[in-house]
Amino acid sequence: MAVSLADISSSSVWAAEGASGGNDPAIPASADQVSPAPQKSLGAVVPKKMKKKKSSARGKTLRKAPLAIVETAPGKRLSIGEVMALLKTGRDLSGKNLSGMNLTGVNLSKCNLKGVDLSNANLERADLGESDLERANLAGANLRMASLKLSGLTGSNLENAILDGAIWQDGRICGKGSHGMCREAVSPFASK
């Protein structure tokens, strides 16, 4: 039987040679024997390329160490740094010696200042609103334009304290020449 090359399809020749175990690399295997491209199957884990993370301090949260509570000897005059540290940790300065200290513009509102020594301290423009100043020594202190609104001054010593322009407990403004006590400010527009 004679078979012409036209009768035999090229695919069957390739398949016959591939099925017979021909290992000739120049002869391609049939389409059935070529390994298909890898396909994703359900549940298969496909590794992803991970990008390298840049280390930057911007993305990291820094933990601050807790502030230490400042312990001082009784009667020892505090430094401004110790006062600020106490104000950050809590609002209790009761019984502390702050005499002669420059506390210009410092926020001391809602502080416990019972029995504190603020004699000859500069408290100009300081906020002492709603603070407890019971038995506090404010003798000779500069309280110009300071806020004492709603503060407790029971038993406090205000001898020679300068209160010019200070906001008093009841909200009125102390007049010029207020030393030791709040004098009502006289309005230039007040009628007589």
Side-chain angles (χ1 to χ4, degrees), residues 132-143:
D132 188 0
L133 289 157
E134 184 179 328
R135 297 183 322 275
N137 183 7
L138 294 160
N142 178 7
L143 292 163

Side-chain angles (χ1 to χ4, degrees), residues 91-113:
R91 306 296 285 173
D92 188 10
L93 294 172
S94 59
K96 303 293 184 204
N97 183 358
L98 309 176
S99 61
M101 189 167 288
N102 185 3
L103 297 169
T104 303
V106 174
N107 182 0
L108 296 169
S109 64
K110 298 181 183 178
C111 279
N112 180 4
L113 299 169

Side-chain angles (χ1 to χ4, degrees), residues 135-160:
R135 297 183 322 275
N137 183 7
L138 294 160
N142 178 7
L143 292 163
R144 283 187 179 102
M145 296 181 285
S147 176
L148 296 164
K149 191 170 185 176
L150 302 175
S151 61
L153 289 167
T154 308
S156 294
N157 179 6
L158 289 166
E159 185 178 340
N160 294 322

